[in-house]
Amino acid sequence: MGSIILSDAPCGYERDEALQREFVDAAERPRVADGWPNPLRGGERELRTDLALEGGGVKGVGLVGAVLVLSEAGCTFHRVAGTSAGAITASLIAGIEQSGRAMTTLADVLQSLDLRKFTPEGRLHEPVDHAGGHVAKLVADAAILTSKEGLYSGDYLESWLRPLPHEQLNIRTFADLRLDADFDPELSVLGDQHYRLVVYVSDLTRSRLVHLPWDYASYGFDPDTQDPVGAVRASMSIPFFFEPVHVEAREAIVEVLSCGARATLTGRSLSTTTA
């Protein structure tokens, strides 16, 4: 059997020579058998893949590794959907693909992430935790939830994530993630769904799954003007754990909402109440 070792290679790992030959041979077979003949490249076969990435905290680290291997095998990622931790990874994949950069950029991004900063302990936790251990921590958590909507603010995610698409990839709104016929002459999705990224939350009021940016219009927002980082921030806000995102819905609202309604975005949920 061959071996894989961590290294300074762009993807963060490398295989021994025998295993690498085996990998290259295995990766070639699906390209020949199932590759899409791109008419813009003379029918050259490409492995265009749509991804749906689930949530699960540190599972996002594993998703990065899986995507790097798929990319090494020749896959490109046409459209990417995700929720919670999967939405974080999906937003980066979509931005990297749209900007034309190498997917190995994900490895560099991963190294800049400090998972401990997602759940910093505040002033209430510090003395109580030291005094009473696990039970005291639960008491501190309960005390926090009497005055706040979540144990943690989620501010670190925004401060860490926003510069990556905005400054490094030139992705500031969902308009920057639009697909068109020049990129894919065989687009089959509806016109208002021509985006490389889709972030999943749920509307608790109407008991329905919400796809952002597709469903922004039903809350009075122009999808093309919305920041993908805001959608990701809402998706990762697990109820009671991370504070939800509040927005003031606008006039072009349909169904149960009225002008001036307040929308509360939470992890895999989006609840709305009239102001």
Side-chain angles (χ1 to χ4, degrees), residues 20-65:
Q20 184 62 28
R21 286 198 303 269
E22 183 178 344
F23 175 82
V24 171
D25 290 342
E28 179 67 8
R29 289 194 290 271
R31 189 185 69 82
V32 173
D34 301 320
W36 174 64
N38 188 341
L40 301 180
R41 296 186 177 181
E44 178 183 347
R45 290 188 172 275
E46 301 176 357
L47 288 175
R48 288 196 174 185
T49 305
D50 289 346
L51 292 179
L53 306 179
E54 65 180 344
V58 295
K59 188 183 295 181
V61 177
L63 293 174
V64 169

Side-chain angles (χ1 to χ4, degrees), residues 157-170 229:
L157 170 71
E158 291 193 81
S159 64
W160 170 78
L161 181 59
R162 181 162 280 115
L164 298 172
H166 283 212
E167 300 172 13
Q168 296 185 28
L169 305 176
N170 200 31
V229 174

Side-chain angles (χ1 to χ4, degrees), residues 3-27:
S3 61
I4 298 177
I5 60 173
L6 298 178
S7 73
D8 294 329
C11 57
Y13 61 86
E14 57 185 318
R15 303 176 185 86
D16 63 33
E17 185 176 347
L19 188 59
Q20 184 62 28
R21 286 198 303 269
E22 183 178 344
F23 175 82
V24 171
D25 290 342

